[in-house]
Amino acid sequence: MTSSPESIKSNPVLPKGEYQPARPTDLRGPCPVVNALANHGYISRDGRNISSVDIKTAMTELGINNAIRTTLTYASYLEHQDDPPTGFWTFVRSPFAYLLRQFGLRNPHQQTTSGGACLNLDQLSRHGAVEHDVSLSRRDFKQGDNTTPQKDLIADLISSSADGKVITATDLAKLRLRRLEQQKRDNPDLQYGAGQHQVACGESAFILTVFGAGLGHYDVPVSYVQALFTEERLPVVEGWRRRGWWTLGFVELTWQTQVMKRLVGKID
């Protein structure tokens, strides 16, 4: 469901699920999918003080199973540490937190007024946590703005479709290689190694498995990609529906991530 400008002015409190683009005062991050959840009101439309419960619940709108939602939420809501502690006893005290500590986004003691952990969407731009260089739609951190969608990069993403109708894993793999070569030229401080590449391939796999047909057939219609990246809107109008009984799980997502890595091949 999409609102006209007139309905937005007359009805500032929109029902959950109805789309409204971000306003100038709203906070957004570098992930178009999370931004879309905010634009549809599944999480706070202003992008502020979003609780872990809110984001975990909102991700059900994407057809993701509980294991992925729990892991993503837990990792993101860890407190960010530039130099996290290491060592055997740190691992023993909290093995799960130890393994996921690099993905923490929260400021120390960042909480809602009721005392629950919270995040603002612009914190997803913390460089080196989840955000990484060689995005398909954002500039690198050292280029000055790793949050704002870039029209030229999104145009390249849309035109990556070999047939102009759907975007495939092969299309995204070829685009990933072109973007890497481009950023090697444009960013002398580029940071893109095995860890960043794993996350990047996982992101592409996520788009394919959430918005593709599913169960091994992951071609994503170009119209879906246009809605998601140019408007940061879930492509419901274009015909997409979240998965029902067969939600996306770790096995399927990991398998498609490995497919992406194999298609991209070796990176230097």
Side-chain angles (χ1 to χ4, degrees):
M1 186 180 297
T2 304
S3 297
S4 67
E6 292 76 13
S7 67
I8 292 172
K9 291 178 182 178
S10 61
N11 182 20
V13 182
L14 296 171
K16 187 176 292 188
E18 189 164 346
Y19 171 79
Q20 174 181 304
R23 298 162 298 185
T25 56
D26 294 338
L27 298 180
R28 293 293 183 266
C31 177
V33 177
V34 176
N35 291 345
L37 292 175
N39 290 342
H40 283 275
Y42 293 120
I43 53 178
S44 174
R45 291 184 185 271
D46 70 2
R48 292 174 170 83
N49 300 320
I50 300 168
S51 73
S52 58
V53 173
D54 288 342
I55 191 67
K56 182 180 176 183
T57 301
M59 284 191 285
T60 61
E61 301 298 329
L62 302 173
I64 302 170
N65 76 5
N66 185 65
I68 291 182
R69 291 187 290 114
T70 298
T71 303
L72 291 177
T73 302
Y74 179 84
S76 300
Y77 279 76
L78 291 171
E79 289 188 358
H80 178 76
Q81 301 178 70
D82 290 326
D83 188 20
T86 59
F88 175 75
W89 291 112
T90 303
F91 172 78
V92 169
R93 279 193 294 272
S94 184
F96 205 33
Y98 185 90
L99 294 172
L100 297 173
R101 65 195 188 282
Q102 75 178 80
F103 301 110
L105 297 170
R106 275 201 311 134
N107 295 325
H109 313 298
Q110 184 178 1
Q111 297 177 327
T112 63
T113 54
S114 60
C118 68
L119 280 174
N120 300 327
L121 287 190
D122 60 345
Q123 290 174 259
L124 273 69
S125 298
R126 284 190 186 276
H127 186 59
V130 179
E131 185 276 337
H132 57 83
D133 286 346
V134 197
S135 165
L136 298 184
S137 62
R138 269 71 172 171
R139 302 289 182 216
D140 290 351
F141 174 73
K142 286 289 188 175
Q143 293 179 294
D145 181 5
N146 61 341
T147 302
T148 306
Q150 302 296 320
K151 292 182 179 180
D152 60 323
L153 297 182
I154 294 172
D156 288 343
L157 169 59
I158 292 170
S159 65
S160 70
S161 168
D163 65 2
K165 297 177 181 179
V166 296
I167 293 179
T168 67
T170 299
D171 294 333
L172 289 178
K174 291 178 179 178
L175 178 60
R176 168 64 50 198
L177 285 172
R178 291 197 299 272
R179 284 285 295 127
L180 180 55
E181 292 305 311
Q182 178 184 10
Q183 291 312 107
K184 286 180 180 178
R185 297 190 300 269
D186 294 349
N187 181 9
D189 298 311
L190 180 69
Q191 296 178 343
Y192 193 82
Q196 292 87 352
H197 187 56
Q198 177 74 26
V199 173
C201 288
E203 291 167 348
S204 293
F206 186 86
I207 294 295
L208 291 165
T209 52
V210 169
F211 297 99
L215 293 179
H217 185 72
Y218 298 120
D219 298 349
V220 182
V222 169
S223 61
Y224 290 12
V225 176
Q226 287 176 318
L228 188 62
F229 282 84
T230 63
E231 300 179 58
E232 298 193 325
R233 172 176 59 80
L234 298 177
V236 177
V237 174
E238 289 75 12
W240 174 77
R241 297 293 183 269
R242 73 179 187 187
R243 295 184 180 201
W245 64 275
W246 187 270
T247 52
L248 176 64
F250 271 120
V251 172
E252 187 179 355
L253 181 60
T254 301
W255 178 80
Q256 187 59 31
T257 300
Q258 293 304 115
V259 169
M260 286 301 307
K261 290 176 69 175
R262 186 169 66 252
L263 288 171
V264 173
K266 184 178 178 180
I267 61 169
D268 297 323

